[in-house]
Amino acid sequence: MKNTKLRVAWIVPNIFIYLMFIGALIFVTINIKGIQEIGMTSLWIFNLFVLFVGSVLGSLRIKHWIKNGKI
């Protein structure tokens, strides 16, 4: 391993983004009727999409850096 501290500095925030996605998904699943009543469904779906794409792209970036020996 080239630099363990640098890896941790990138991986830990990425894990938190995954946890935020899971938490938001659980929140939306539990409260979907209330969200639909106030007309915010599209906003919450967009937020879930952004969190998911951000976490996946972050993971791919970290994997690429590790593979190339940058971190």
Side-chain angles (χ1 to χ4, degrees):
M1 286 201 270
K2 191 168 184 176
N3 192 344
T4 307
K5 290 180 183 178
L6 188 58
R7 284 185 186 192
V8 170
W10 280 99
I11 292 173
V12 170
N14 195 25
I15 291 171
F16 283 130
I17 294 174
Y18 275 110
L19 292 175
M20 286 189 331
F21 169 71
I22 293 168
L25 184 62
I26 291 169
F27 175 81
V28 170
T29 304
I30 292 171
N31 297 305
I32 190 67
K33 289 185 181 183
I35 292 171
Q36 288 174 341
E37 286 177 6
I38 62 172
M40 300 295 281
T41 309
S42 58
L43 178 67
W44 277 100
I45 298 297
F46 177 74
N47 285 338
L48 288 171
F49 177 75
V50 169
L51 284 171
F52 179 73
V53 169
S55 58
V56 169
L57 290 178
S59 295
L60 292 174
R61 177 180 56 186
I62 292 168
K63 181 181 174 183
H64 182 262
W65 285 342
I66 290 173
K67 185 177 178 181
N68 289 339
K70 292 183 180 180
I71 63 171

